[in-house]
Amino acid sequence: MNMIDTQTGKETSATRTAYLSVRNMILTGELPAGQKIKIEHLRGKLDMGASPVREALSLLTSDMLVERIDQRGFRAAAASPENFAEILKLRCALEDMALRQSIALATPDWEEKLVLAHHHMTRATGTAQFEEAHKTFHKTLLSNAASPMMERYCDQLYDLNIRYRNLAASEPNYQSRDIPAEHKDIFDAAIARDADAASAALLSHYRLTGEYLALQLTGL
Amino acid sequence: MNMIDTQTGKETSATRTAYLSVRNMILTGELPAGQKIKIEHLRGKLDMGASPVREALSLLTSDMLVERIDQRGFRAAAASPENFAEILKLRCALEDMALRQSIALATPDWEEKLVLAHHHMTRATGTAQFEEAHKTFHKTLLSNAASPMMERYCDQLYDLNIRYRNLAASEPNYQSRDIPAEHKDIFDAAIARDADAASAALLSHYRLTGEYLALQLTGL
DNA sequence: GTGTCAATAAATATCGATATTTTGGAGAGC
DNA sequence: GCTCTCCAAAATATCGATATTTATTGACAC
C-alpha cells in the first residue's frame, strides 16, 4: 500500500531541471547573448517557483553562460568575436597541456576508453548522437591527465565553443576539410603516445574550426 | 515622515553580504575544507533568510570554493596536496601567458598603474594592508592582457592559493628568501618590457612559495 | 523642444512556511 | 552477531507572499 510514485522515474530536482533547460537555451541561442533574463518569464515557462530558477542561474554563472548584476538580475553572457578568440586561445593552451599529461600517464585502460570513444564517434548516426560522441571523444582525450581542475576548465571552454558554433547560425559547411580524418590523426597519435604529433593535430583541428567560425561571427 | 534609513550607507544586498562572509570563512579555514555547510547554521549566524545564503553558496561554486551535491546540500571544497599542486601548475601556465600578453601590449598607462601598485606594496604597513596591495600588484601585472577570461581564471587561482597559505596554519617563515627583492625583479623586468625575464621571475616567485607551502601540507 | 522630478509600474531580492529527501538508528528476522 | 527494513529527526528544496529596488512614464518648468 505504499505509493511508489507514478512511473518510478523522476530522478531529478527542480533546480537541476532549470539548470539544464536554461543552459540549453543559452547554448542554442534561444536566449540571445547579452539579453536580460527575467525570472518571472522563466518561472512560468518551466512551471516552478522563483527559487530554483534563481539558483540555476547562479550556478550557470560558473559556466560563464550567465552574468549576474547585483540588484539588477541576470543576463545571458555577452558574445563577441574577441570573446570567441579568447576562448580559442585558452582552449589551445589548456588542452595542449592536458593532452600531453594524458599521454604521459597513458595506461591500457585509458587507451581502451579512447578506442571506444573514437569508434562510437565514427558510428554515430544522427547529428545529436554525433555531437554527444564527439564531446565524449574530446573529453576522453584529456581524461587521463589526473588534473580535475584543468578538465573542468576544458569542459567549460568546450561548451562555450559549441555556443559560438550555434550562434554562427548558418549550417556548418566545412569547405574542403575532412573532419573524420582530423579526428583519426589525433586518435592515432594519442594511441601511439606521440604527444607532439597528437597536440599538433588537436590544435590544428581547433584552429581550423576557429578560423572558419570567426569568419561567420563578424556580425556579432 | 519618510524614513531615509539609518546612516544612509547600506550599499549592499543580503546575498552579497553572505557571499563575502562565507568566502572569507572558507579562505581563512574557519569553515574547514571538505566540511558540510549547513544552511540553517549560516542563516542564524548571518541573521538572514535561507534564500540569500543558498544563492551565495551557489555563486561560490564558480570560485571552486564550494561544492554542491544535488539534494544533499553544500560543502566547503576539499583540499589536498594534489589539488594544491594542480593550482600551482595552472597558475604558472596561465600567468605566464597573461603576463607575456600584458607586456606585449604595454602602454604608458599600464606602466603607471604598475608603478603605483608596486609602490603601495612597499609602503603597506599592516598585514591586511600588505595582502591587499600584494593582490593588487599581481592583478595589475596581468591586467593589460586584454583577456578577461584569463584574468578571471588567474584571480580564482590566486584566491585558491591564498586559501592554502592559510590552511598551512603556521606563520609563514620564508627562510632565507627576500620577498621584496623577488617582487622588485618581476616589476623591473615588466617595466623594461622584458617578457622572458619577467615571466621567469614571476614563476620562480610562485614556485618557491609553492615548494615551501607544499612541505607544510603533508598533513592534509 | 529638452531636461528634471515625482509617481507609477515592473522586476528583483528576501522572508517564513511547507513539502521532500536524506540520515541515523532501533528493532525484527535470519 | 549481522543485515535489512522501516520509522523518526534533521536538513534540503521549493513555494507563495511581501518588501525593496530599479526602470518607466508623463507632467511641468525652462
Side-chain angles (χ1 to χ4, degrees), chain A residues 148-191:
Chain A
M149 289 181 59
M150 192 148 63
E151 286 176 48
R152 176 171 157 167
Y153 283 150
C154 290
D155 256 33
Q156 270 185 207
L157 291 167
Y158 183 95
D159 285 340
L160 289 172
N161 188 64
I162 290 287
R163 184 188 183 213
Y164 275 97
R165 210 168 66 197
N166 292 331
L167 260 44
S170 57
E171 274 302 298
N173 162 26
Y174 295 116
Q175 318 114 289
S176 54
R177 286 172 63 192
D178 183 349
I179 306 283
E182 293 180 19
H183 286 137
K184 185 82 167 37
D185 286 347
I186 302 166
F187 170 70
D188 286 342
I191 292 291

Side-chain angles (χ1 to χ4, degrees), chain A residues 96 99-100 186 194-207:
Chain A
D96 174 61
L99 179 57
R100 286 172 187 279
I186 302 166
D194 182 342
D196 288 337
S199 174
L202 183 66
L203 267 53
S204 153
H205 177 59
Y206 287 156
R207 292 198 172 112

Side-chain angles (χ1 to χ4, degrees), chain B residues 103-115:
Chain B
I103 291 175
L105 301 174
T107 63
D109 182 57
W110 175 61
E111 288 179 358
E112 285 170 27
K113 282 188 202 148
L114 201 51
V115 169

Side-chain angles (χ1 to χ4, degrees), chain B residues 14-15 49 51-52 71-72:
Chain B
T15 298
S51 310
Q71 229 81 0
R72 211 157 300 182

Side-chain angles (χ1 to χ4, degrees), chain A residues 18-219:
Chain A
Y19 175 82
L20 294 174
S21 298
V22 177
R23 173 197 183 77
N24 210 53
M25 290 186 217
I26 295 179
L27 286 180
T28 59
E30 183 182 335
L31 275 177
Q35 184 169 95
K36 185 159 192 357
I37 297 177
K38 286 186 196 146
I39 308 280
E40 192 56 21
H41 176 235
L42 280 180
R43 193 211 61 70
K45 198 160 181 168
L46 300 173
D47 189 38
M48 58 178 65
S51 311
V53 174
R54 285 188 72 82
E55 188 151 337
L57 290 173
S58 295
L59 290 171
L60 281 164
T61 275
S62 309
D63 305 332
M64 301 208 252
L65 289 173
V66 164
E67 290 165 8
R68 196 194 113 100
I69 309 168
D70 220 44
Q71 229 80 0
R72 212 158 300 183
F74 301 85
R75 58 181 48 231
S80 69
E82 294 74 33
N83 181 239
F84 176 70
E86 197 185 350
I87 289 166
L88 179 60
K89 178 179 274 185
L90 281 170
R91 280 188 92 193
C92 287
L94 288 172
E95 294 216 10
D96 174 61
M97 233 196 315
L99 179 57
R100 286 172 187 279
Q101 274 182 228
S102 259
I103 292 174
L105 301 174
T107 63
D109 182 57
W110 174 62
E111 288 178 0
E112 284 170 27
K113 281 188 201 147
L114 201 51
V115 169
L116 279 179
H118 184 260
H119 177 69
H120 287 155
M121 190 171 52
T122 63
R123 290 300 169 86
T125 57
T127 310
Q129 203 183 328
F130 175 79
E131 286 302 325
E132 179 69 24
H134 182 254
K135 179 168 181 174
T136 301
F137 173 66
H138 279 286
K139 282 183 68 162
T140 305
L141 277 170
L142 315 179
S143 69
N144 201 50
S147 193
M149 289 181 59
M150 192 148 63
E151 286 176 48
R152 176 171 157 167
Y153 283 150
C154 290
D155 256 33
Q156 270 185 207
L157 291 167
Y158 183 95
D159 285 340
L160 289 172
N161 188 64
I162 290 287
R163 184 188 183 213
Y164 275 97
R165 210 168 66 197
N166 292 331
L167 260 44
S170 57
E171 274 302 298
N173 162 26
Y174 295 116
Q175 318 114 289
S176 54
R177 286 172 63 192
D178 183 349
I179 306 283
E182 293 180 19
H183 286 137
K184 185 82 167 37
D185 286 347
I186 302 166
F187 170 70
D188 286 342
I191 292 291
R193 304 194 185 183
D194 182 342
D196 288 337
S199 174
L202 183 66
L203 267 53
S204 153
H205 177 59
Y206 287 156
R207 292 198 172 112
L208 285 171
T209 308
E211 278 168 30
Y212 173 71
L213 282 181
L215 285 179
Q216 308 203 299
L217 289 174
T218 47

